[in-house]
Amino acid sequence: MTNEQTAHTEEQVAAIAPTHHRLRVGITHGDINGVGYELIFRTFAAPEMADLCTPIVFGSAKVAHYHRKALGLDTPFQVVATAADALEGQLNLIDCATDDVSVQFGQCSAEAGHMAYVALEAATEALKAGDIDVLVTAPICKSAIQSADFRFVGHTEYLADRLAPDSQPLMMLCNAQLRVALVTTHLPLRDVPAAITTESVEQHIRQVYHSLRHDFLVPAPRIAVLGLNPHNGDNGTLGSEEADIIRPAIQAAVEDGIQCFGPYPADGFFGAGLYGEFDAVLAMYHDQALAPFKALSMDDGVNFTAGLPYVRTSPDHGTAFDIAGRGIASEASFRRAIYDAIDICRNRRADDDARRNPLPKLYHERREDGLRVQRQPLPPLS
Protein backbone atom coordinates (compact mmCIF):
# COMPACT_ATOMS: atom_id res chain seq x y z
CA MET A 1 0.00 0.00 0.00
CA THR A 2 1.42 3.42 -0.99
CA ASN A 3 1.87 6.31 1.44
CA GLU A 4 -0.89 8.18 -0.37
CA GLN A 5 -3.24 5.23 0.04
CA THR A 6 -2.27 4.90 3.70
CA ALA A 7 -2.95 8.59 4.35
CA HIS A 8 -6.30 8.35 2.61
CA THR A 9 -7.25 5.34 4.70
CA GLU A 10 -6.29 7.14 7.93
CA GLU A 11 -8.43 10.12 6.92
CA GLN A 12 -11.35 7.82 6.28
CA VAL A 13 -10.89 6.14 9.64
CA ALA A 14 -10.70 9.50 11.38
CA ALA A 15 -13.90 10.59 9.66
CA ILE A 16 -15.90 7.59 10.80
CA ALA A 17 -14.28 7.00 14.19
CA PRO A 18 -16.48 8.15 17.07
CA THR A 19 -15.13 11.02 19.13
CA HIS A 20 -15.30 10.47 22.89
CA HIS A 21 -14.99 13.03 25.62
CA ARG A 22 -16.11 13.12 29.18
CA LEU A 23 -19.38 14.95 29.44
CA ARG A 24 -19.15 18.21 31.37
CA VAL A 25 -21.60 17.88 34.24
CA GLY A 26 -22.59 21.22 35.75
CA ILE A 27 -23.60 20.94 39.42
CA THR A 28 -25.27 23.64 41.52
CA HIS A 29 -24.43 23.70 45.22
CA GLY A 30 -28.08 24.18 46.27
CA ASP A 31 -28.90 25.62 49.69
CA ILE A 32 -25.63 26.12 51.57
CA ASN A 33 -27.30 25.28 54.91
CA GLY A 34 -28.35 21.87 53.61
CA VAL A 35 -26.56 18.73 52.48
CA GLY A 36 -25.56 19.85 48.97
CA TYR A 37 -21.81 20.04 49.50
CA GLU A 38 -21.81 16.86 51.56
CA LEU A 39 -23.44 15.03 48.64
CA ILE A 40 -20.96 16.51 46.17
CA PHE A 41 -17.86 15.68 48.23
CA ARG A 42 -19.02 12.18 49.12
CA THR A 43 -19.91 11.43 45.50
CA PHE A 44 -16.59 12.59 44.07
CA ALA A 45 -14.52 11.04 46.82
CA ALA A 46 -14.76 7.95 44.61
CA PRO A 47 -12.03 8.44 41.97
CA GLU A 48 -13.94 6.46 39.37
CA MET A 49 -16.58 9.22 39.20
CA ALA A 50 -14.09 11.55 37.53
CA ASP A 51 -13.55 8.87 34.88
CA LEU A 52 -17.24 9.17 33.88
CA CYS A 53 -17.48 12.92 33.52
CA THR A 54 -15.85 16.28 34.14
CA PRO A 55 -17.70 17.68 37.18
CA ILE A 56 -18.02 21.47 37.46
CA VAL A 57 -19.61 22.84 40.62
CA PHE A 58 -21.21 26.28 40.49
CA GLY A 59 -20.91 27.58 44.03
CA SER A 60 -18.66 29.24 46.58
CA ALA A 61 -15.08 28.24 47.35
CA LYS A 62 -15.34 29.64 50.91
CA VAL A 63 -18.53 27.72 51.63
CA ALA A 64 -17.10 24.57 50.05
CA HIS A 65 -14.01 24.74 52.26
CA TYR A 66 -16.18 25.33 55.35
CA HIS A 67 -18.38 22.31 54.60
CA ARG A 68 -15.40 20.09 53.88
CA LYS A 69 -13.73 21.02 57.18
CA ALA A 70 -16.93 20.81 59.25
CA LEU A 71 -17.76 17.38 57.84
CA GLY A 72 -14.23 16.02 58.09
CA LEU A 73 -14.07 15.25 54.38
CA ASP A 74 -10.92 15.48 52.28
CA THR A 75 -12.24 15.38 48.70
CA PRO A 76 -9.96 17.73 46.72
CA PHE A 77 -11.29 20.34 44.31
CA GLN A 78 -9.80 23.10 42.23
CA VAL A 79 -11.23 26.56 41.61
CA VAL A 80 -11.52 27.53 37.93
CA ALA A 81 -12.67 30.74 36.28
CA THR A 82 -14.88 29.18 33.62
CA ALA A 83 -16.14 25.79 32.51
CA ALA A 84 -13.63 25.89 29.66
CA ASP A 85 -10.85 25.86 32.25
CA ALA A 86 -12.11 22.70 33.95
CA LEU A 87 -9.67 19.82 34.04
CA GLU A 88 -10.68 16.25 33.39
CA GLY A 89 -10.12 13.83 36.22
CA GLN A 90 -10.71 16.48 38.89
CA LEU A 91 -13.58 18.09 40.77
CA ASN A 92 -13.79 21.68 39.53
CA LEU A 93 -15.54 24.63 41.18
CA ILE A 94 -16.52 27.98 39.67
CA ASP A 95 -16.60 30.60 42.43
CA CYS A 96 -19.76 32.40 41.34
CA ALA A 97 -21.39 33.00 44.75
CA THR A 98 -18.70 35.13 46.38
CA ASP A 99 -20.77 37.02 48.97
CA ASP A 100 -19.59 36.68 52.55
CA VAL A 101 -22.21 34.60 54.28
CA SER A 102 -22.22 32.43 57.37
CA VAL A 103 -23.23 28.80 57.07
CA GLN A 104 -25.93 27.82 59.55
CA PHE A 105 -26.62 24.14 59.11
CA GLY A 106 -30.30 23.30 59.13
CA GLN A 107 -31.51 26.90 58.99
CA CYS A 108 -33.69 28.46 56.30
CA SER A 109 -32.32 31.92 55.47
CA ALA A 110 -32.64 34.52 52.74
CA GLU A 111 -28.83 34.72 52.46
CA ALA A 112 -28.57 31.00 51.74
CA GLY A 113 -31.44 31.30 49.28
CA HIS A 114 -29.63 34.06 47.40
CA MET A 115 -26.47 31.96 47.24
CA ALA A 116 -28.49 29.10 45.78
CA TYR A 117 -30.06 31.41 43.19
CA VAL A 118 -26.72 32.91 42.07
CA ALA A 119 -25.25 29.46 41.50
CA LEU A 120 -28.35 28.26 39.67
CA GLU A 121 -28.39 31.30 37.41
CA ALA A 122 -24.71 30.90 36.52
CA ALA A 123 -25.13 27.19 35.78
CA THR A 124 -28.20 27.84 33.64
CA GLU A 125 -26.32 30.41 31.59
CA ALA A 126 -23.47 27.93 31.10
CA LEU A 127 -25.95 25.26 30.00
CA LYS A 128 -27.54 27.58 27.45
CA ALA A 129 -24.12 28.59 26.13
CA GLY A 130 -23.05 24.97 25.70
CA ASP A 131 -20.24 25.31 28.24
CA ILE A 132 -21.64 22.31 30.13
CA ASP A 133 -23.47 19.33 28.66
CA VAL A 134 -25.95 18.54 31.43
CA LEU A 135 -27.11 20.06 34.71
CA VAL A 136 -27.48 18.35 38.08
CA THR A 137 -29.03 20.48 40.81
CA ALA A 138 -28.49 20.01 44.54
CA PRO A 139 -31.61 20.65 46.65
CA ILE A 140 -32.84 24.18 47.38
CA CYS A 141 -35.12 25.56 50.08
CA LYS A 142 -38.07 26.82 48.02
CA SER A 143 -39.10 29.45 50.56
CA ALA A 144 -35.57 30.78 51.10
CA ILE A 145 -34.80 31.25 47.41
CA GLN A 146 -37.86 33.40 46.72
CA SER A 147 -36.93 36.96 45.71
CA ALA A 148 -37.56 39.54 43.01
CA ASP A 149 -35.31 37.43 40.74
CA PHE A 150 -36.80 34.03 41.59
CA ARG A 151 -40.58 33.75 41.78
CA PHE A 152 -41.01 30.08 40.99
CA VAL A 153 -42.24 27.16 43.03
CA GLY A 154 -39.26 25.00 42.11
CA HIS A 155 -36.41 24.15 39.75
CA THR A 156 -38.77 22.71 37.13
CA GLU A 157 -40.69 25.94 36.61
CA TYR A 158 -37.58 28.13 36.76
CA LEU A 159 -35.72 26.07 34.17
CA ALA A 160 -38.71 26.02 31.85
CA ASP A 161 -38.88 29.82 31.99
CA ARG A 162 -35.14 30.31 31.49
CA LEU A 163 -34.39 27.56 28.98
CA ALA A 164 -37.54 27.07 26.91
CA PRO A 165 -40.38 29.51 27.70
CA ASP A 166 -42.73 27.90 25.18
CA SER A 167 -42.14 24.38 26.45
CA GLN A 168 -44.25 22.27 28.78
CA PRO A 169 -41.75 20.62 31.15
CA LEU A 170 -42.58 17.21 32.53
CA MET A 171 -41.54 16.25 36.06
CA MET A 172 -40.50 12.61 36.06
CA LEU A 173 -39.15 10.59 38.99
CA CYS A 174 -36.99 7.63 37.98
CA ASN A 175 -35.03 4.70 39.27
CA ALA A 176 -34.14 1.30 37.85
CA GLN A 177 -37.59 -0.18 38.58
CA LEU A 178 -40.04 2.70 38.29
CA ARG A 179 -40.74 5.95 36.44
CA VAL A 180 -43.57 8.26 37.50
CA ALA A 181 -44.59 11.51 35.82
CA LEU A 182 -47.03 14.22 36.90
CA VAL A 183 -49.87 16.06 35.18
CA THR A 184 -49.73 18.78 37.87
CA THR A 185 -46.57 19.48 39.83
CA HIS A 186 -46.17 22.05 42.62
CA LEU A 187 -49.82 22.98 42.88
CA PRO A 188 -51.97 23.30 46.01
CA LEU A 189 -54.25 20.30 46.34
CA ARG A 190 -57.36 22.48 46.25
CA ASP A 191 -56.40 23.64 42.73
CA VAL A 192 -55.66 20.21 41.27
CA PRO A 193 -59.15 19.17 40.03
CA ALA A 194 -59.56 22.31 37.92
CA ALA A 195 -56.15 21.70 36.33
CA ILE A 196 -57.04 18.15 35.27
CA THR A 197 -58.51 18.44 31.78
CA THR A 198 -58.73 15.96 28.94
CA GLU A 199 -56.32 18.11 26.94
CA SER A 200 -53.71 18.29 29.71
CA VAL A 201 -53.88 14.57 30.48
CA GLU A 202 -53.57 13.66 26.80
CA GLN A 203 -50.68 16.09 26.34
CA HIS A 204 -48.81 14.58 29.29
CA ILE A 205 -49.40 11.05 28.02
CA ARG A 206 -47.77 12.05 24.74
CA GLN A 207 -44.89 13.74 26.56
CA VAL A 208 -44.26 10.62 28.62
CA TYR A 209 -44.37 8.51 25.45
CA HIS A 210 -41.84 10.68 23.60
CA SER A 211 -39.55 10.95 26.63
CA LEU A 212 -39.51 7.17 27.05
CA ARG A 213 -38.51 6.73 23.43
CA HIS A 214 -36.04 9.63 23.13
CA ASP A 215 -34.55 9.91 26.63
CA PHE A 216 -34.65 6.25 27.69
CA LEU A 217 -34.66 4.48 24.28
CA VAL A 218 -37.73 2.38 25.09
CA PRO A 219 -38.93 1.26 21.63
CA ALA A 220 -42.59 0.54 22.43
CA PRO A 221 -43.49 2.16 25.76
CA ARG A 222 -46.34 0.95 27.95
CA ILE A 223 -47.86 3.72 30.07
CA ALA A 224 -50.23 3.43 33.03
CA VAL A 225 -52.47 6.36 33.93
CA LEU A 226 -53.82 6.84 37.44
CA GLY A 227 -57.24 8.18 38.37
CA LEU A 228 -57.89 11.27 40.44
CA ASN A 229 -60.44 10.19 43.04
CA PRO A 230 -60.37 7.41 45.65
CA HIS A 231 -61.38 4.09 44.09
CA ASN A 232 -61.47 5.76 40.65
CA GLY A 233 -64.60 7.64 41.75
CA ASP A 234 -66.58 4.47 42.54
CA ASN A 235 -68.69 4.78 39.37
CA GLY A 236 -69.43 8.43 40.02
CA THR A 237 -70.12 8.16 43.76
CA LEU A 238 -66.83 9.89 44.63
CA GLY A 239 -66.33 11.89 41.45
CA SER A 240 -66.63 11.59 37.69
CA GLU A 241 -63.25 12.86 36.48
CA GLU A 242 -62.11 9.36 35.56
CA ALA A 243 -65.01 8.78 33.18
CA ASP A 244 -65.45 12.32 31.88
CA ILE A 245 -61.85 13.56 31.61
CA ILE A 246 -59.14 10.93 32.03
CA ARG A 247 -60.57 7.99 30.08
CA PRO A 248 -61.22 10.10 26.90
CA ALA A 249 -57.59 11.29 27.03
CA ILE A 250 -56.37 7.70 27.24
CA GLN A 251 -58.60 6.68 24.35
CA ALA A 252 -57.30 9.52 22.16
CA ALA A 253 -53.72 8.42 22.83
CA VAL A 254 -54.60 4.78 22.11
CA GLU A 255 -56.11 5.75 18.77
CA ASP A 256 -52.71 7.20 17.81
CA GLY A 257 -50.94 3.96 18.60
CA ILE A 258 -49.70 4.69 22.13
CA GLN A 259 -49.94 1.71 24.47
CA CYS A 260 -51.68 3.51 27.30
CA PHE A 261 -53.84 1.91 30.00
CA GLY A 262 -56.09 2.97 32.87
CA PRO A 263 -57.20 4.85 34.75
CA TYR A 264 -56.11 2.86 37.79
CA PRO A 265 -56.89 3.66 41.44
CA ALA A 266 -53.55 4.72 42.88
CA ASP A 267 -53.66 2.76 46.14
CA GLY A 268 -54.42 -0.59 44.55
CA PHE A 269 -52.04 0.06 41.66
CA PHE A 270 -48.99 0.58 43.85
CA GLY A 271 -50.13 -1.84 46.53
CA ALA A 272 -50.36 -4.69 44.01
CA GLY A 273 -47.03 -3.78 42.39
CA LEU A 274 -48.64 -3.21 38.98
CA TYR A 275 -46.04 -0.54 38.19
CA GLY A 276 -43.70 -3.40 37.31
CA GLU A 277 -45.80 -4.09 34.21
CA PHE A 278 -45.26 -0.63 32.71
CA ASP A 279 -42.44 1.59 31.49
CA ALA A 280 -43.90 4.67 33.19
CA VAL A 281 -46.83 5.79 35.32
CA LEU A 282 -48.65 9.10 34.85
CA ALA A 283 -50.12 10.47 38.08
CA MET A 284 -52.52 13.38 38.45
CA TYR A 285 -50.84 15.28 41.30
CA HIS A 286 -47.64 15.57 43.31
CA ASP A 287 -48.14 13.36 46.36
CA GLN A 288 -50.09 10.72 44.44
CA ALA A 289 -46.81 9.91 42.68
CA LEU A 290 -44.07 11.03 45.04
CA ALA A 291 -45.35 9.39 48.21
CA PRO A 292 -45.23 5.84 46.81
CA PHE A 293 -42.15 6.57 44.72
CA LYS A 294 -40.11 7.77 47.68
CA ALA A 295 -41.35 4.90 49.82
CA LEU A 296 -40.05 2.52 47.15
CA SER A 297 -37.00 4.45 45.96
CA MET A 298 -35.74 6.89 48.57
CA ASP A 299 -32.10 5.83 48.25
CA ASP A 300 -31.77 5.88 44.46
CA GLY A 301 -34.60 8.03 43.09
CA VAL A 302 -33.90 10.82 40.60
CA ASN A 303 -35.94 13.83 39.57
CA PHE A 304 -35.64 14.35 35.79
CA THR A 305 -37.11 17.34 33.95
CA ALA A 306 -38.31 15.95 30.63
CA GLY A 307 -39.62 18.12 27.82
CA LEU A 308 -36.69 20.55 27.83
CA PRO A 309 -34.01 20.83 25.12
CA TYR A 310 -31.41 20.38 27.89
CA VAL A 311 -30.85 17.54 30.36
CA ARG A 312 -31.44 18.34 34.04
CA THR A 313 -31.62 15.90 36.94
CA SER A 314 -31.51 16.13 40.72
CA PRO A 315 -31.76 13.83 43.73
CA ASP A 316 -35.37 13.15 44.68
CA HIS A 317 -34.98 14.49 48.24
CA GLY A 318 -34.79 17.97 49.69
CA THR A 319 -32.23 19.97 51.65
CA ALA A 320 -32.37 17.53 54.60
CA PHE A 321 -32.01 20.38 57.10
CA ASP A 322 -32.66 17.91 59.92
CA ILE A 323 -29.36 16.10 59.29
CA ALA A 324 -27.31 18.86 57.62
CA GLY A 325 -23.80 19.16 59.04
CA ARG A 326 -23.93 15.82 60.84
CA GLY A 327 -22.03 13.88 58.16
CA ILE A 328 -24.64 11.14 57.77
CA ALA A 329 -26.34 12.13 54.49
CA SER A 330 -26.47 9.43 51.80
CA GLU A 331 -25.13 10.45 48.41
CA ALA A 332 -26.80 7.51 46.60
CA SER A 333 -29.60 9.55 45.03
CA PHE A 334 -27.23 12.36 44.03
CA ARG A 335 -24.80 9.91 42.44
CA ARG A 336 -27.68 8.30 40.58
CA ALA A 337 -28.74 11.75 39.32
CA ILE A 338 -25.30 12.16 37.75
CA TYR A 339 -25.44 8.70 36.20
CA ASP A 340 -28.90 9.38 34.75
CA ALA A 341 -27.95 12.79 33.37
CA ILE A 342 -25.04 11.21 31.51
CA ASP A 343 -27.17 8.31 30.25
CA ILE A 344 -30.03 10.53 29.06
CA CYS A 345 -27.64 12.88 27.26
CA ARG A 346 -26.03 9.95 25.46
CA ASN A 347 -29.41 8.41 24.70
CA ARG A 348 -30.64 11.63 23.11
CA ARG A 349 -27.56 11.89 20.94
CA ALA A 350 -27.84 8.26 19.89
CA ASP A 351 -31.52 8.68 19.05
CA ASP A 352 -30.84 11.85 17.07
CA ASP A 353 -28.10 10.06 15.14
CA ALA A 354 -30.37 7.11 14.41
CA ARG A 355 -33.10 9.39 13.06
CA ARG A 356 -30.89 11.70 11.06
CA ASN A 357 -31.25 9.77 7.78
CA PRO A 358 -34.10 7.34 8.35
CA LEU A 359 -34.99 4.66 5.85
CA PRO A 360 -38.65 4.34 4.88
CA LYS A 361 -40.42 1.73 6.98
CA LEU A 362 -43.34 -0.52 6.27
CA TYR A 363 -45.84 -1.14 9.06
CA HIS A 364 -48.41 -3.87 9.16
CA GLU A 365 -51.37 -3.38 11.43
CA ARG A 366 -51.78 -6.12 13.97
CA ARG A 367 -54.07 -6.30 16.94
CA GLU A 368 -52.59 -6.48 20.40
CA ASP A 369 -53.56 -5.79 23.97
CA GLY A 370 -57.26 -6.47 23.74
CA LEU A 371 -57.82 -5.74 20.04
CA ARG A 372 -55.86 -2.49 20.09
CA VAL A 373 -54.22 -1.60 16.81
CA GLN A 374 -50.43 -1.32 16.79
CA ARG A 375 -49.74 1.70 14.60
CA GLN A 376 -46.78 3.58 13.27
CA PRO A 377 -44.99 5.48 16.09
CA LEU A 378 -45.74 9.17 16.33
CA PRO A 379 -43.15 11.71 15.15
CA PRO A 380 -41.18 13.60 17.82
CA LEU A 381 -42.84 16.59 19.47
CA SER A 382 -42.07 19.83 17.70
Side-chain angles (χ1 to χ4, degrees):
M1 182 177 290
T2 66
N3 290 336
E4 182 178 347
Q5 288 174 317
T6 303
H8 182 66
T9 303
E10 290 174 350
E11 290 175 2
Q12 288 179 318
V13 170
I16 63 174
T19 57
H20 297 285
H21 74 280
R22 294 188 180 102
L23 291 179
R24 294 159 298 176
V25 177
I27 301 167
T28 59
H29 66 180
D31 193 289
I32 62 172
N33 293 336
V35 296
Y37 277 109
E38 181 175 357
L39 303 179
I40 293 169
F41 287 140
R42 288 191 181 280
T43 296
F44 289 99
E48 62 269 18
M49 290 298 296
D51 293 333
L52 294 177
C53 63
T54 300
I56 306 168
V57 178
F58 292 79
S60 163
K62 291 180 181 179
V63 173
H65 281 297
Y66 180 89
H67 276 252
R68 192 172 63 171
K69 182 177 180 180
L71 295 165
L73 301 173
D74 58 2
T75 307
F77 68 91
Q78 66 163 4
V79 178
V80 296
T82 68
D85 300 320
L87 296 180
E88 291 188 348
Q90 297 189 37
L91 177 62
N92 303 274
L93 186 145
I94 296 176
D95 200 1
C96 57
T98 56
D99 294 350
D100 287 330
V101 60
S102 61
V103 175
Q104 298 174 304
F105 286 120
Q107 300 300 310
C108 178
S109 75
E111 285 183 325
H114 176 69
M115 295 282 278
Y117 165 72
V118 170
L120 178 60
E121 181 73 5
T124 303
E125 285 297 319
L127 188 63
K128 289 175 63 178
D131 297 332
I132 56 177
D133 296 299
V134 298
L135 176 63
V136 178
T137 56
I140 59 172
C141 176
K142 293 181 176 62
S143 60
I145 200 174
Q146 297 301 317
S147 68
D149 297 315
F150 190 101
R151 297 186 181 276
F152 305 92
V153 293
H155 278 115
T156 302
E157 294 77 11
Y158 165 83
L159 292 170
D161 180 79
R162 294 287 283 107
L163 297 176
D166 297 328
S167 69
Q168 295 291 330
L170 177 71
M171 185 175 176
M172 184 181 291
L173 285 300
C174 318
N175 74 353
Q177 292 79 38
L178 174 64
R179 302 183 190 96
V180 294
L182 308 176
V183 174
T184 62
T185 54
H186 300 110
L187 194 65
L189 194 57
R190 64 177 177 271
D191 298 332
V192 167
I196 303 296
T197 65
T198 298
E199 291 75 18
S200 67
V201 174
E202 182 183 347
Q203 172 197 330
H204 282 82
I205 291 172
R206 296 180 186 278
Q207 281 187 283
V208 172
Y209 172 82
H210 286 292
S211 178
L212 289 172
R213 297 192 68 209
H214 186 52
D215 299 325
F216 299 95
L217 303 184
V218 180
R222 291 169 55 87
I223 302 167
V225 181
L226 302 182
L228 174 65
N229 299 296
H231 310 298
N232 259 1
D234 252 346
N235 295 319
T237 305
L238 300 176
S240 60
E241 285 84 357
E242 286 75 17
D244 297 342
I245 295 174
I246 300 174
R247 189 166 287 118
I250 294 172
Q251 186 58 39
V254 168
E255 290 175 358
D256 273 338
I258 297 176
Q259 296 189 70
C260 183
F261 306 84
Y264 296 97
D267 57 347
F269 181 85
F270 286 106
L274 294 180
Y275 55 85
E277 304 296 324
F278 299 92
D279 298 297
V281 180
L282 179 64
M284 295 298 113
Y285 58 93
H286 187 278
D287 284 11
Q288 185 186 49
L290 269 69
F293 180 83
K294 290 187 177 183
L296 294 165
S297 323
M298 193 61 183
D299 287 338
D300 64 349
V302 173
N303 182 353
F304 164 52
T305 306
L308 293 178
Y310 304 90
V311 177
R312 175 260 171 170
T313 63
S314 72
D316 74 337
H317 57 73
T319 55
F321 281 156
D322 57 326
I323 61 171
R326 295 170 58 189
I328 60 174
S330 170
E331 73 278 14
S333 179
F334 186 81
R335 183 188 297 114
R336 185 78 241 174
I338 293 174
Y339 291 159
D340 283 2
I342 294 170
D343 287 345
I344 291 168
C345 182
R346 289 173 174 169
N347 287 346
R348 286 186 175 185
R349 292 178 179 181
D351 191 48
D352 288 340
D353 287 343
R355 296 173 184 276
R356 186 160 289 119
N357 295 298
L359 295 173
K361 298 180 180 179
L362 298 176
Y363 290 86
H364 302 279
E365 287 192 354
R366 55 194 178 92
R367 296 191 173 273
E368 293 182 344
D369 298 311
L371 300 182
R372 293 184 177 187
V373 176
Q374 180 76 18
R375 303 189 181 192
Q376 179 174 344
L378 299 174
L381 289 173
S382 58

